[in-house]
Amino acid sequence: MKEFFITFRSITYAQRGQTVLQGAGISTSLGRTPRWMEEKGCGYSLRVSPAQATQAAALLRSQGVPFSKLYVRQDGGKLEALTP
């Protein structure tokens, strides 16, 4: 099953993002970003459902919540960055 992660540079931005997304009815799970995923050091990420990942990233942009990238981890474990 694919997993989608939105990464943030700080816990503050991740929490702000979670608040915005949950306010729009998008379920999230907040956690530390694994080091192998975040190239610029430790951070935080929100896990979102595959059906809502693109909508979630667009909503964060429209609300001015800065995030690093949207990642998808494929079934085989391959990681792909979907947005800058």
Side-chain angles (χ1 to χ4, degrees):
M1 183 172 134
K2 292 181 182 178
E3 294 181 292
F4 287 81
F5 298 89
I6 300 172
T7 59
F8 299 84
R9 295 286 294 148
S10 73
I11 185 70
T12 302
Y13 288 136
Q15 290 170 332
R16 189 180 304 164
Q18 186 174 44
T19 298
V20 166
L21 296 179
Q22 288 181 340
I26 298 174
S27 180
T28 65
S29 174
L30 175 64
R32 296 284 296 184
T33 300
R35 284 185 180 229
W36 55 265
M37 186 186 303
E38 186 59 57
E39 60 203 37
K40 294 185 179 180
C42 295
Y44 292 85
S45 60
L46 294 176
R47 185 179 297 187
V48 296
S49 75
Q52 297 177 311
T54 304
Q55 176 189 359
L59 182 58
L60 292 174
R61 277 192 207 97
S62 73
Q63 295 297 310
V65 180
F67 65 94
S68 299
K69 292 184 182 178
L70 171 63
Y71 288 99
V72 60
R73 185 167 52 182
Q74 303 291 342
D75 294 335
K78 180 183 175 190
L79 189 67
E80 179 182 354
L82 300 179
T83 58

